[in-house]
Amino acid sequence: GGVEVGLWCVLGYVTQAIGMDMTSPAKGAFIQSLCMVVCPIANGFAGKKVPPQVWAAVVLALMGTGVLEGLGSQILSGQATSIEAGDPWML
């Protein structure tokens, strides 16, 4: 019950802390904000039908979050397309 949930939370916090130390702040914030689109993506991979409107919303959410997090300048300079050592830890 509660102990298992607590252990998963601790694991999440620890891996986030490791990742934040090894990636840029803008990329770290962007990766962390991906939690808003996890459910539709997971449902899509699980074979469940996801309406086209939801996929459009996922794309808009990702683009909007990228703009808000300041990834536009990093995309133009090529920095956002590279995977840094901390990126996988942030997931």
Side-chain angles (χ1 to χ4, degrees):
V3 173
E4 181 182 358
V5 171
L7 290 173
W8 283 111
C9 286
V10 167
L11 179 66
Y13 289 136
V14 168
T15 57
Q16 283 180 3
I18 292 169
M20 284 189 282
D21 188 44
M22 300 160 80
T23 192
S24 69
K27 266 178 107 171
F30 177 75
I31 292 170
Q32 288 305 308
S33 67
L34 292 178
C35 66
M36 64 187 164
V37 297
V38 166
C39 290
I41 292 173
N43 283 339
F45 282 129
K48 295 181 180 177
K49 181 156 176 56
V50 180
Q53 298 90 341
V54 173
W55 287 120
V58 166
V59 170
L60 287 173
L62 290 174
M63 289 175 24
T65 303
V67 169
L68 290 173
E69 299 297 339
L71 289 179
S73 62
Q74 289 187 358
I75 290 172
L76 293 175
S77 67
Q79 294 174 348
T81 57
S82 64
I83 297 176
E84 297 176 24
D87 293 352
W89 287 98
M90 299 291 288
L91 297 173

